[in-house]
Amino acid sequence: MAITGVLRPGHAQIRVLDLEEGVKFYRDVLGLVDMGRDSQGRHYFKAWDERDHHSVLIRQADKTGIDLFGFKVDSEATLEKFEKDLQAYGVTTKRIPAGEMMNTGERVQFTLNNGHAIELYADKKDVGNGLGYHNPKPWGPDAERGIAPTRLDHALLAGGDLDQALDIFVNVLGFYLVEEVVAPDGMKIAVWLSCSNKTHDIAFLRHAEDGKLHHVSFWLETWEKVLRAADIMSMNDVPVDIGPTRHGITRGATIYAWDRSGNRFETFSGGYPAYPDHAVITWPVEHLPEGLDYAQRKLHETFLTVFS
């Protein structure tokens, strides 16, 4: 069972400017497994070690960014409870029918004041990781193609009303605050939230424009895999934003880069085990440079100015 009823991040739907170019990038360079296309033109992918049908959808649009970020919950009963709790909080929810998203059950969707659509669901088809459930091998061919992350890890979403997002995720959905960046007056500038024992399953950044994507992050098992990802990015002319380096915040090893449309993504490893009873780690904003890039203690200008 989950700590809170929310199991994990389940999927991100990302807008790209050229769908076929996007398919090649997410399949061949990032190394996700191609799971096909639906009648709406959305293309589906999963990381090689994920068992549910998909975790990333891309669709062609005139504008980059993210349409929605979804979380899987542990049961239909939990889904119904969260739906009622969100409505009691004052959030408008809508039910999206089963099958609207390929191999996915009913979803409950709501929009935060910061402009981001968040959704919850309990059912998605288990397609396995290609290794089987009896006497499996430790990895298969998909683990060697491209960067080949093992899972969708988290997203950092930006918008104006960070406080409402924090309140809903903590007091309605049962997440807990792991780390924060605060201004001298105590205002929270960024928060990292977990529903598990990861350092974060979602993060929010206070930003002048609503509905902005900072990055979607993919998990790699080791620092050496992060360095391999850097090589693959260079060999494929992928523009790198930051890294390879280590964060002070979360202690994760990281590279930030951009897909072919200009959506930032992260390849991430490391961190530390987090638990709900741990004290919140606070970073005064003047220490954000080492929070972001501990090696150089540098606040990269693009990190706070480039969004999609």
Side-chain angles (χ1 to χ4, degrees):
M1 297 296 288
I3 294 174
T4 66
V6 179
L7 292 172
R8 59 181 175 271
H11 52 247
Q13 183 168 304
I14 299 166
R15 299 188 297 270
V16 298
L17 303 179
D18 184 313
L19 185 61
E20 300 310 323
E21 186 178 65
V23 169
K24 291 177 183 178
F25 177 82
Y26 281 88
R27 181 191 63 209
D28 301 334
V29 180
L30 189 53
L32 301 181
V33 180
D34 190 332
M35 301 302 294
R37 192 172 301 184
D38 66 17
S39 60
Q40 299 182 48
R42 298 175 296 188
H43 208 98
Y44 293 67
F45 301 91
K46 65 183 283 294
W48 75 265
D49 205 21
E50 291 174 329
R51 301 180 183 187
D52 285 352
H53 178 266
H54 62 272
S55 59
V56 173
L57 304 84
I58 62 172
R59 72 173 182 91
Q60 185 158 323
D62 295 331
K63 183 180 180 182
T64 58
I66 190 167
D67 288 328
L68 55 90
F69 196 73
F71 292 88
K72 191 174 188 180
V73 303
D74 58 18
S75 67
E76 292 291 343
T78 296
L79 185 65
E80 291 179 10
K81 179 182 184 302
F82 280 140
E83 182 178 35
K84 291 176 182 177
D85 291 346
L86 286 162
Q87 292 169 353
Y89 182 91
V91 173
T92 300
T93 66
K94 64 178 179 180
R95 280 263 179 173
I96 301 174
E100 190 278 340
M101 182 178 286
M102 191 183 293
N103 290 309
T104 306
E106 279 191 307
R107 292 133 58 207
V108 172
Q109 189 179 106
F110 60 97
T111 301
L112 299 167
N113 286 349
N114 67 13
H116 287 286
I118 303 295
E119 57 184 32
L120 310 172
Y121 66 95
D123 182 59
K124 188 180 286 182
K125 184 178 180 181
D126 181 345
V127 297
N129 59 7
L131 306 177
Y133 292 136
H134 180 73
N135 192 30
K137 297 176 182 177
W139 53 271
D142 287 330
E144 293 288 287
R145 180 175 37 77
I147 293 170
T150 60
R151 67 170 185 253
L152 168 69
D153 192 75
H154 65 268
L156 174 54
L157 307 178
D161 196 346
L162 180 150
D163 303 297
Q164 189 230 24
L166 174 62
D167 194 35
I168 287 175
F169 270 82
V170 170
N171 294 313
V172 181
L173 300 181
F175 286 59
Y176 61 99
L177 179 62
V178 180
E179 300 202 29
E180 62 184 0
V181 174
V182 298
D185 63 1
M187 182 181 70
K188 294 182 190 327
I189 296 172
V191 294
W192 286 258
L193 303 167
S194 181
C195 65
S196 61
N197 72 335
K198 293 158 51 184
T199 52
H200 54 320
D201 291 292
I202 194 165
F204 292 99
L205 176 67
R206 196 180 299 275
H207 185 62
E209 294 183 78
D210 286 336
K212 290 297 183 179
L213 172 64
H214 189 275
H215 68 269
V216 171
S217 182
F218 298 92
W219 174 259
L220 295 170
E221 294 173 295
T222 65
W223 169 240
E224 287 73 20
K225 293 281 190 181
V226 175
L227 297 179
R228 177 179 176 273
D231 291 339
I232 292 170
M233 290 177 196
S234 183
M235 287 186 282
N236 288 276
D237 298 317
V238 176
V240 170
D241 184 16
I242 301 173
T245 189
R246 176 206 279 276
H247 291 310
I249 298 166
T250 77
R251 296 189 218 152
T254 182
I255 304 171
Y256 291 108
W258 284 285
D259 72 9
R260 300 302 190 208
S261 295
N263 294 299
R264 186 190 280 104
F265 69 96
E266 180 185 29
T267 52
F268 180 85
S269 182
Y272 56 85
Y275 295 96
D277 62 327
H278 286 181
V280 176
I281 294 173
T282 298
W283 294 79
V285 69
E286 62 267 25
H287 291 284
L288 183 55
E290 60 262 39
L292 171 60
D293 185 343
Y294 199 79
Q296 296 188 73
R297 294 177 172 257
K298 178 180 179 181
L299 185 58
H300 301 255
E301 186 267 342
T302 51
F303 190 83
L304 296 178
T305 60
V306 179
F307 298 83
S308 60

